[in-house]
Amino acid sequence: MKEKILVTGGTGYIGSHTVVELQNAGYEVVIVDNLSNSNADVVDSIEQISGIRPAFEKLDCLNLAGLDAVFAKYQGIKAIIHFAASKAVGESVQKPLLYYRNNLGSLINLLELMPKYGVEGIVFSSSCTVYGQPDQLPVTEEAPIKKAESPYGNTKQINEEIIRDYVASGAPIQAILLRYFNPIGAHPSALLGELPNGVPQNLVPYLTQTAIGIREKLSVFGDDYNTPDGSCIRDFINVVDLAKAHVVAIGRMLEGKQADKVEVFNIGTGRGVSVLELIHGFEEATGVKLNYQIVGRRAGDIEQVWANPERANKVLGWKAETNIEDTLRSAWNWQLKLRERGIQ
Ligand code: NAD
Ligand code: WQD
């Protein structure tokens, strides 16, 4: 058995896939999640896939004493992967204090406890949202951080700064900031996937819910952008590929290979795919016809962004492997499985 890793938000969408990959790689996992956006039965699915049941503590990361007790109970936690956060962009505009409190407070609590328990490092879930609309594409990690479009985006920028400031103060920790592009898809077993609360705001869950008949029509927000087909362009990254990036980041950190105490990596495919291309790709990959219509632009949308993932490719030795057709099929299989289970 390799080192013990604390995964906050480990029953969530990206966290659950990452726990599976960590366990497959031999790490021992302790999950902390308050279940505000996930279900405890995800732990069963993780066990079903990997054959190992991770330790699970239902706890809010804002609860400092509770977190302290977790570190005391599971002696020897070597590193943290910090997924736990509120993540809905629109909601963050309506409830900024909830977002600032949850996303900043949770990180601060973890950082504060790390030296006390000898935790060596933290991998933080950042986002391509920190780049806004980049001046140059594909975007590299050196691109300037633009003013955040939402309180959610701002929490990611501030969290990155909090980590940098803490390390600069001499705190005995290291950090890896992973800037995810657009994670989509589900585990190939269809036992894990994204479970949006209410009406999905993100493209792929809305698309699969439309395909299965929960939603009547998918709205494509704008076809008058300055892109080849007029719709927005994103870098859609398979969630299992994304999960694997965390495993290599943890390995690098714990093997003492970091060149800097804080490192940052883009985690994307390097390929831009338009919204219309994605829709047509889904239809081809699944044989399911999609009801969609072009409507006006959505406020706050970035026209186009995709990653230059060369640093992650070279330094981490990580590369996105899954093609978009397989990824879209996995999202569809997950949606079918949800119906089978009577969930959505
Ligand atoms: P998710 O909502 O599925 O998972 C987050 C998990 O954290 C949930 O299980 C939730 O219950 C838990 N959680 C939230 N606040 C908590 C708290 N205070 N204490 C304990 N648990 C708490 O979201 P996700 O898509 O898996 O995202 C994971 C991380 O990746 C987040 O930090 C998110 O901001 C970041 N991220 C996500 C995307 C994306 O498009 N999904 C893109 C870039 C970055
Ligand atoms: C993708 C494209 C929409 C829904 C968000 C956050 C970002 C990051 C990832 C966490 C856009 C279009 C969507 C629909 C559509 N999260 N669309 N019809 O906006 O790139 O990024 O999630 O850090 O911070 O902002 O993702 O999936 O919402 O949209 O046409 O019903 O699909 O306009 O062009 P986005 P998304």
Side-chain angles (χ1 to χ4, degrees):
M1 187 69 85
K2 285 194 191 164
E3 294 91 343
K4 206 179 286 178
I5 312 295
L6 178 71
V7 180
T8 73
T11 49
Y13 173 46
I14 306 169
S16 58
H17 290 82
T18 302
V19 172
V20 166
E21 297 307 320
L22 283 169
Q23 294 193 150
N24 286 347
Y27 290 100
E28 188 180 339
V29 175
V30 178
I31 295 175
V32 164
D33 201 302
N34 65 359
L35 303 180
S36 57
N37 199 34
S38 55
N39 297 307
D41 61 15
V42 167
V43 180
D44 300 331
S45 302
I46 292 171
E47 183 180 12
Q48 225 176 314
I49 296 170
S50 61
I52 302 164
R53 192 170 186 83
F56 171 66
E57 298 287 340
K58 181 176 183 297
L59 181 73
D60 197 310
C61 292
L62 292 177
N63 178 347
L64 182 64
L67 275 182
D68 194 313
V70 168
F71 283 109
K73 178 173 172 186
Y74 300 94
Q75 285 291 323
I77 290 172
K78 281 272 185 247
I80 300 169
I81 307 182
H82 182 42
F83 293 105
S86 304
K87 66 156 184 179
V89 174
E91 187 188 45
S92 80
V93 177
Q94 303 304 320
K95 301 174 183 168
L97 297 188
L98 186 155
Y99 275 67
Y100 285 116
R101 189 190 302 276
N102 195 29
N103 294 4
L104 306 189
S106 297
L107 175 71
I108 291 168
N109 281 348
L110 290 165
L111 293 178
E112 207 158 84
L113 291 168
M114 286 174 73
K116 179 172 174 187
Y117 288 96
V119 183
E120 292 172 20
I122 183 163
V123 174
F124 174 68
S125 299
S126 191
S127 168
C128 68
T129 191
V130 302
Y131 299 122
Q133 177 60 64
D135 301 323
Q136 284 180 345
L137 288 167
V139 65
T140 70
E141 292 84 353
E142 310 307 331
I145 301 299
K146 297 271 176 78
K147 184 177 164 23
E149 297 271 348
S150 68
Y152 166 75
N154 206 19
T155 69
K156 291 297 170 193
Q157 297 188 1
I158 299 171
N159 275 336
E160 288 199 2
E161 286 174 11
I162 290 173
I163 291 170
R164 287 187 195 282
D165 288 347
Y166 192 48
V167 170
S169 76
I173 66 159
Q174 315 170 70
I176 294 184
L177 316 177
L178 298 182
R179 292 180 180 154
Y180 316 153
F181 281 68
N182 286 58
I184 62 164
H187 196 269
S189 65
L191 290 167
L192 292 175
E194 191 170 7
L195 200 54
N197 241 336
V199 181
Q201 304 301 310
N202 294 115
L203 177 60
V204 169
Y206 203 104
L207 184 157
T208 57
Q209 289 196 4
T210 306
I212 209 162
I214 297 172
R215 313 278 157 210
E216 193 203 336
K217 210 180 264 181
L218 171 70
S219 296
V220 173
F221 298 136
D223 70 346
D224 57 351
Y225 285 99
N226 185 23
T227 60
D229 66 20
S231 65
C232 291
I233 294 177
R234 296 289 183 272
D235 186 333
F236 297 100
I237 167 84
N238 177 280
V239 68
V240 176
D241 288 344
L242 172 58
K244 289 178 179 166
H246 296 79
V247 179
V248 290
I250 284 286
R252 177 174 171 81
M253 179 178 272
L254 295 181
E255 285 159 24
K257 290 186 179 156
Q258 280 187 235
D260 296 306
K261 287 196 157 192
V262 182
E263 292 184 330
V264 49
F265 296 98
N266 282 343
I267 304 296
T269 66
R271 186 174 158 227
V273 172
S274 78
V275 172
L276 288 170
E277 280 173 334
L278 187 103
I279 290 172
H280 298 136
F282 176 85
E283 291 182 326
E284 274 165 37
T286 62
V288 179
K289 201 95 194 97
L290 204 73
N291 191 18
Y292 71 90
Q293 63 175 357
I294 312 289
V295 300
R297 294 181 178 194
R298 181 172 72 175
D301 263 340
I302 300 300
E303 180 176 272
Q304 43 187 328
V305 61
W306 67 94
N308 179 335
E310 258 173 47
R311 188 187 286 176
N313 297 165
K314 286 189 185 141
V315 178
L316 290 179
W318 169 90
K319 208 172 184 334
E321 285 167 350
T322 316
N323 64 48
I324 190 121
E325 291 78 20
D326 286 343
T327 302
L328 290 169
R329 255 192 299 273
S330 72
W332 179 232
N333 289 336
W334 166 245
Q335 187 70 63
L336 291 170
K337 183 68 110 188
L338 286 177
R339 184 172 62 182
E340 209 178 289
R341 287 163 59 186
I343 297 173
Q344 272 178 0

